[in-house]
Amino acid sequence: MAVADTTPVRPRASVLRQLLRSTSVIIGGLIVGAMVIIGALAPWLDTRDPAEVNPSVRNKLPGFTATIRDDDGNKVPVTYRFGTDSLGRDIYSRVVYGARVSLIVGLTVSLISIVIGLLIGLIAGYVRWLDGILMRFMDGLMAIPAILLAIGLVSVFRAGLFAVVVAIVVPEVPRVVRLVRSIVLSIREEPYVESAITVGTPTPLLIFRHVLPNTIAPLIVQGTFICAAAILIEAILSFLGIGIPPEIPTWGNIMAEGRTLFRVFPQNILYPGIFLAVTVLGVNMLGDGLRDVLDPKMERRG
Amino acid sequence: MDGAPGPSGTPVLELDGLSVALPKTGDRTHAIDGVSFSVGRGEIVCVVGESGSGKSVTAQAVMGLLPKGQLTLSGGSIRLEGKEVTTCTPAELRALRGARMSMIFQEPMTALNPVERVGAQIGEVLEIHTSLSAEERRNKVLDVMASVHLPDVASMIDAFPHQLSGGQRQRVMIAAALVLDPVLLIADEPTTALDVTTQAQILKLIAEMQARRGTGVLFITHDFGVVAEIAQRVVVMQHGKVVEIGTRDEIISRPKAAYTQMLIKSVPSLEPPSRTPKTSAVALAIEGLSKTYVSGGFLAGKKRVVKAAQNVSIEVRRGETVGIVGESGSGKTTVARCVARLIDPTDGEIKIGGVDVARLRESALRPHRKHVQIVFQDPYRSLNPRRTVGASIIEGPVNFGESTADATRRARDLMTLVGLQPDALERFPHQFSGGQRQRIAIARALAMEPRLLIADEAVSALDVSVQAQVLALLDDVRERFDLAVLFITHDLRVAAQICDRIAVMQNGVVVEHGPTAELFSNAQHAYTHALFAAAPGRGVKFGAGIEATT
């Protein structure tokens, strides 16, 4: 019998506790959480139909109160907190509903990019002969600007969520592929992966069990950055009129609508602009904080 | 070097009750606690200890290089030539560093700036501390480079670090450290990253510099061979405290403290014990194995061919340990990885139990995988950090159809066998020390009931006392399971103690091959001679006088 090793076993450190200790995770998380709640609860946040046009209250400043007949014909006072646009739509309602589109675009784009990128990245990193072909193809995709692609897609299909999501996903996928491939290339050389090979673990199981988990933390971080970029690009596309159709309230659409009268009625650009900036800031802060905690390369020593 | 203390007079360096506090979250309050010793003019003092003993922190404290916000001086004094340095301002410390005291580090590649010419890096010290002209600086740099025996200094002064070998880089570091003739040179494991023959040259150089310039040297190491080679006095540290101070001979042959005695006893002897040759069945037969790497080609430019292993033939019998010894780049790990079929050999046969597995495709190879298991060097990377130890151990048996319950039951037995608690199966690798992890890696290999166990530098990353335990464990399981062991190492001491036969490799070729005792007493090949001559502390008997004093 060998000499027993009696060194005491060290306790386990909790990732969750580390996350809650990071200020940027907390602030970013609170902002993103608030936006999700606003988007989800939009109909109950004292909003009106965001598409409702009322010519009698066009271009009113924030805080304007008008008396309007409701569906039953009763006269009720309505306060336009953020004012109205040139068609007399309530900007407050449009901004609140606009959060839905932004968050949906951000979430779907990051999820789709990560799933596709993860698959291609694992293949490129593990199947050596496919690597060169796949990566040159990805380099080609990366050269396509999202805005040009959106214009092309809109002219082929019609403007809408689908075209916007595809236009943003295509240039983002190669970035995820590069990230996953680089992780796979370094992890496959790790002794514990080689040990798994020598104990006869089949390759698919090997990738799933030993390689894949290492990509999760960096992908969560990358996902938040893609999400922030997607929200921003969606707003740009909508602002340029090649994104979501103008009747659907998105922050980009609201700003596009208010562009002509910006000098006189800045509320059209101001409020969606603030929401957009705060959301992107929140998502980016969350991503930064997650990276500091999850990415071992950024880990502080000690 | 006769082990006598340095000349009298004011010591170059005096530490008195030096303490460095750790942050409150640590598992102990002090990195070093009440450390007192001195280094005389022209004296080499070795600070020796295992990882976590505080030897490097001591050096950082002297240089004023403690990481800010993590480690803080909490008491005691440091006197350089009688002058207190703990109260120095950062500006005063900067004036001392480089001029009066300087430091060389373990990793010469990272200690040098890769995008600056070596001459400029040595000259930087002169630029900061002196008012010499560019011309004078260059001449002085050429002088100091010649004095550390760098070849062709006139062209090397304009070379970049990547153009130099590891040993040459360390010479450049020493040149930069000595260019202003400091009174104190701190060397923090300066030869640990180097091959044994290069190490011998660097040790000789440090001793020569110390003798010629009268520099006091504070030499930090974990290697008792190096201590025996270079030290005049030795400071033994454990858990941040000084355990024992004595002359080299006192510490190496007649240590008084129980901890020092344990350390000294753990140092493997360079004299192999006598062994009876094994005549059991051949478990592994490598015949004419070659591995050639070809890089470059059609798009990447000029083709380059690297012959990592050439025509290697080695046999390992059941219950026998065969060592492959060589320096980095000798191809010893390539052979091990070919045998484990982690890389595909270019040519040759690998017969395991009579079946040639060298050319089998992955699907046909899988049934044979269980016969060959490997234990890697780095205990921190050889277990998946996300999976429990138990899951890692039973992974292999479950792959071969054993039920999880049966495999877990056997894993519990194996944990006991390798000297760990069976309950530890539920835990994650980061909760274990390096030695414990290496035990787990051995348990994982044994779970496959292999015929051949490959130990690829399996004890090289471990502290000497832990190393002795893991070596004993390896020897124990070899005997218990009648295992054939292919033992890859660069450490001749370890090889002498554990191997029945040894193959010496150089540049991909086996230059000599024979029973351990024969090889050590009567080496035929010039390279084997050079390797043995370079082994630090040869001819020194560790712990010779321990029995007499206890």
Side-chain angles (χ1 to χ4, degrees), chain A residues 3 7 194 198 201 210 214, chain B residues 337 384 386 395 399 439:
Chain A
V3 184
T7 320
E194 301 197 322
T198 62
T201 305
H210 296 289
N214 289 291
Chain B
R337 293 168 64 82
N384 188 339
R386 286 175 171 75
E395 180 171 5
N399 283 338
R439 287 167 187 262

Side-chain angles (χ1 to χ4, degrees), chain B residues 65 80 90 190 268 305 311 327 405 430 459 461 466 493:
Chain B
L65 291 175
L80 186 71
V305 176
N311 201 17
E327 299 187 296
H430 67 259
V459 296
V466 182
R493 292 180 177 277

Side-chain angles (χ1 to χ4, degrees), chain B residues 20 43 60 66 82 87 137 146 148 178-180 183 193 213 233 290 315 339 342 349-350 367 373 390 431 490 497 537:
Chain B
V20 171
E43 185 187 30
Q60 288 172 338
L66 290 173
T87 54
R137 283 206 301 268
V148 296
L178 294 180
V179 66
L180 278 178
V183 287
R213 298 174 179 239
R233 279 194 307 134
S290 296
E315 262 184 14
V339 173
L342 289 169
E349 288 179 2
I350 300 165
Q373 291 300 305
Q431 295 171 278
H490 70 281
Q497 290 312 305

